[in-house]
């Protein structure tokens, strides 16, 4: 059997596993000839874990690009993890190892990171160690993937030890990306002084410090309200030749949105533009939040409605912020319209925000739309939320969980 045939067999084996052990009776879609791009689109819009497995199984023998492969795997794993389908996640990731493309280090690194995103960091270590068997030489690429996996799994306390021991055991010289991941873990652990000392260590070793590394420290300092230290790091970053990017500016914008008036946020957004950068959706999300906190709902909605004109698209956080504050201010009709817009873009707000909207619709006797929302959530939210949703619905008096059709824009 050729290596390519082995890869196709791997995809068929995974699909057979799905059909035999599926926990859902949902019919599987016809996916013959589906493209990678179509797979991405379906994975973004479909919450059913069995369908996610079927979709990725149909394209598994054509995953050859590290970026698109990581994205497709990540989408599928998110769907499975939300339903606690961890054995299926392991089967999915391990099945890719028989794909000859995945003996290339960049693609194997995507599997290492995939284990971390699934909350299974031990699988990341196993895959890293398995590289000898697969005939894949290790470099700083897979080393960084391993560190990233443990950060993705929120095991930040293990990253410093893993950094030192793995580099020593396998003779890998950490690069600026490696140190950036180490700094992130230290900041997450609240060890800011140690994180800052790593910046000095990088300078002593001649390893260029990156803007993202500085940004990580800035974010932690601002969140700890250590404003003087944050400004010192900001100035140091610029003195060392690290030009602030939009992400770095967004850290400052976030702080201003929480503690200043909207005018200060606008001033920083103008500073971003004047420095030759383009404010992004995150920048404007902070401005929207600041307007709402300042009681200026109309201004917040103007920013939202003007996003496209500024070359930005609303993301999940945009919709969550809008629905939350509109409901908080009692404007449930506007909140419903924003929710409908989020549904069209498959960027629905979280459970708590949706619950607030439903309660508001019932409170204002908009029962028809409430029923539609109930039915929509039953088909769109992950299985692990459904029991909690049923409880909410029963408490609101919908004993049959609603009779409305799927939520559709007016």
């Amino acid at each position: 059997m050729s290596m390519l045939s082995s890869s196709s067999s791997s995809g068929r084996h995974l699909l057979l596993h799905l059909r035999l052990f599926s926990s859902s009776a949902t019919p599987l879609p016809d996916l013959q000839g589906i493209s990678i791009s179509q797979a991405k689109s379906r994975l973004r819009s479909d919450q059913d874990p069995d369908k996610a497995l079927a979709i990725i199984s149909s394209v598994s023998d054509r995953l050859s690009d590290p970026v698109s492969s990581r994205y497709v795997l990540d989408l599928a794993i998110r769907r499975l993890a939300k339903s606690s389908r961890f054995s299926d996640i392991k089967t999915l990731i391990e099945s890719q190892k028989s794909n000859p493309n995945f003996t290339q280090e960049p693609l194997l690194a995507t599997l290492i990171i995939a284990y971390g995103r699934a909350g299974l960091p031990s699988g990341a270590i196993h895959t890293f160690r398995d590289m000898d068997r697969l005939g894949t030489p290790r470099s700083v690429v897979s080393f960084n993937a391993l560190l990233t996996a443990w950060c993705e799994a929120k095991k930040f306390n293990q990253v410093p030890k893993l950094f030192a021991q793995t580099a020593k055991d396998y003779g890998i010289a950490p690069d600026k990306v490696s140190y950036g991941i180490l700094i992130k873990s230290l900041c997450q652990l609240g060890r800011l002084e140690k994180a800052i000392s790593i910046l000095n260590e990088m300078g002593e070793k001649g390893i260029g410090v990156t803007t993202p590394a500085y940004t990580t420290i800035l974010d932690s300092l601002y969140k700890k309200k250590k404003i003087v230290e944050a400004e010192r790091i900001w100035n140091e970053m610029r003195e060392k030749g690290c030009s602030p990017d939009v992400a770095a500016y967004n850290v400052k914008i976030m702080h201003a949105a929480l503690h200043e008036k909207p005018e200060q946020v606008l001033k920083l957004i103008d500073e971003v533009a004047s420095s030759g950068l383009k404010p992004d959706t995150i920048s404007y999300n902070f401005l929207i939040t600041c307007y709402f906190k300042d009681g200026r709902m109309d201004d917040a909605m103007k920013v939202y409605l003007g996003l496209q004109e500024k070359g930005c698209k609303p993301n999940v956080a945009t919709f969550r912020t809008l629905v939350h504050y509109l409901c908080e201010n009692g404007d449930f009709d506007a909140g419903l319209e924003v929710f409908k817009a989020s549904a069209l873009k498959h960027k629905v707000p979280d459970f708590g925000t949706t619950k607030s909207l439903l309660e508001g619709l019932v409170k204002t006797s908009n029962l028809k739309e409430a029923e539609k929302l109930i039915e929509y959530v039953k088909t769109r939210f992950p299985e692990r939320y459904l029991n909690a949703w049923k409880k909410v619905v029963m408490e609101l008096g919908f004993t049959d969980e609603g009779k409305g059709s799927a939520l559709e824009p007016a």
Side-chain angles (χ1 to χ4, degrees):
M1 180 183 291
S2 69
M3 292 183 75
L4 185 57
S5 298
S6 173
S7 173
S8 299
S9 173
S10 163
R12 288 195 297 271
H13 171 75
L14 182 58
L15 190 54
L16 178 62
H17 170 86
L18 166 65
R19 292 187 184 279
L20 288 174
F21 300 106
S22 167
S23 63
S24 169
T26 306
L28 298 179
D30 180 10
L31 299 167
Q32 187 174 2
I34 188 174
S35 68
I36 300 292
S37 177
Q38 289 171 324
K40 290 179 186 177
S41 178
R42 293 198 185 192
L43 286 168
R44 279 195 297 266
S45 62
D46 205 313
Q47 298 290 327
D48 187 289
D50 290 329
K51 289 182 181 178
L53 266 177
I55 290 165
I56 197 164
S57 296
S58 69
V59 298
S60 63
D61 59 337
R62 285 176 282 134
L63 295 177
S64 58
D65 175 70
V67 176
S68 63
S69 297
R70 182 173 300 176
Y71 189 69
V72 170
L73 279 168
D74 185 44
L75 285 170
I77 285 168
R78 285 177 189 273
R79 297 292 174 264
L80 294 167
K82 284 180 179 179
S83 298
S84 301
R85 298 276 289 274
F86 298 107
S87 63
D88 284 331
I89 290 172
K90 185 175 181 180
T91 298
L92 168 61
I93 296 173
E94 290 298 315
S95 71
Q96 299 305 318
K97 292 181 183 179
S98 60
N99 181 337
N101 292 325
F102 278 83
T103 60
Q104 304 170 47
E105 188 183 25
L107 275 164
L108 203 56
T110 69
L111 300 185
I112 292 171
I113 293 172
Y115 265 124
R117 287 183 174 160
L120 301 168
S122 59
I125 288 184
H126 170 75
T127 302
F128 183 79
R129 291 173 178 166
D130 208 23
M131 291 175 71
D132 291 327
R133 180 185 66 81
L134 295 169
T136 306
R138 292 182 190 83
S139 76
V140 73
V141 172
S142 49
F143 174 69
N144 290 343
L146 181 61
L147 298 178
T148 299
W150 281 75
C151 280
E152 289 284 347
K154 312 297 183 189
K155 301 293 185 181
F156 301 109
N157 61 325
Q158 296 298 317
V159 174
K161 185 190 302 182
L162 194 65
F163 180 98
Q165 194 63 48
T166 307
K168 178 183 177 183
D169 290 347
Y170 292 93
I172 295 172
D175 63 5
K176 58 187 178 183
V177 175
S178 316
Y179 279 101
I181 300 167
L182 175 61
I183 286 170
K184 177 181 178 179
S185 70
L186 292 169
C187 286
Q188 289 290 332
L189 294 168
R191 299 172 61 187
L192 288 175
E193 290 185 6
K194 179 63 177 177
I196 293 170
S197 75
I198 296 294
L199 296 178
N200 299 327
E201 181 182 329
M202 292 173 71
E204 292 169 2
K205 293 183 176 180
I207 299 172
V209 183
T210 64
T211 299
Y214 275 116
T215 301
T216 300
I217 292 175
L218 279 168
D219 182 55
S220 292
L221 288 171
Y222 276 120
K223 285 177 178 175
K224 294 284 186 180
K225 298 182 181 180
K226 296 186 176 183
I227 311 306
V228 174
E229 292 93 328
E231 291 302 317
R232 182 183 65 78
I233 291 293
W234 179 270
N235 293 331
E236 179 184 312
M237 174 175 67
R238 306 189 78 159
E239 289 166 4
K240 294 288 179 67
C242 287
S243 299
D245 56 14
V246 176
Y249 272 108
N250 279 344
V251 170
K252 297 191 78 171
I253 292 170
M254 172 198 69
H255 175 75
L258 290 173
H259 303 287
E260 306 284 348
K261 289 287 188 178
E263 287 70 26
Q264 181 60 27
V265 176
L266 281 167
K267 181 179 178 182
L268 286 169
I269 288 176
D270 288 341
E271 189 178 327
V272 174
S274 64
S275 67
L277 299 169
K278 181 177 175 292
D280 61 11
T281 300
I282 296 172
S283 312
Y284 291 112
N285 283 351
F286 287 131
L287 178 58
I288 289 170
T289 299
C290 197
Y291 273 134
F292 272 123
K293 289 181 67 177
D294 203 44
R296 295 162 64 175
M297 291 175 59
D298 289 345
D299 287 325
M301 293 302 294
K302 283 178 185 176
V303 175
Y304 162 61
L305 295 172
L307 283 176
Q308 187 171 351
E309 182 183 312
K310 297 179 184 298
C312 297
K313 295 179 180 179
N315 59 20
V316 172
T318 313
F319 291 119
R320 181 178 65 244
T321 300
L322 288 163
V323 175
H324 168 77
Y325 279 106
L326 288 168
C327 289
E328 189 176 84
N329 284 279
D331 196 344
F332 302 109
D333 288 339
L336 178 63
E337 292 309 308
V338 172
F339 188 94
K340 288 179 179 180
S342 77
L344 282 175
K345 297 180 183 296
H346 307 298
K347 299 181 186 295
V348 175
D350 57 55
F351 180 89
T353 304
T354 306
K355 174 176 174 286
S356 295
L357 176 59
L358 176 63
E359 291 170 341
L361 292 173
V362 173
K363 180 180 179 180
T364 54
S365 300
N366 195 344
L367 300 185
K368 182 178 178 181
E369 293 293 354
E371 288 176 348
K372 290 181 181 180
L373 182 60
I374 289 168
E375 291 300 305
Y376 179 83
V377 168
K378 285 166 59 179
T379 61
R380 300 298 305 162
F381 270 56
E383 185 178 340
R384 64 192 173 113
Y385 285 120
L386 292 185
N387 285 336
W389 186 247
K390 288 177 183 177
K391 182 179 178 182
V392 170
V393 168
M394 294 288 284
E395 288 175 351
L396 291 173
F398 291 85
T399 54
D400 57 358
E401 300 183 52
K403 299 178 180 178
S405 60
L407 189 74
E408 295 176 353

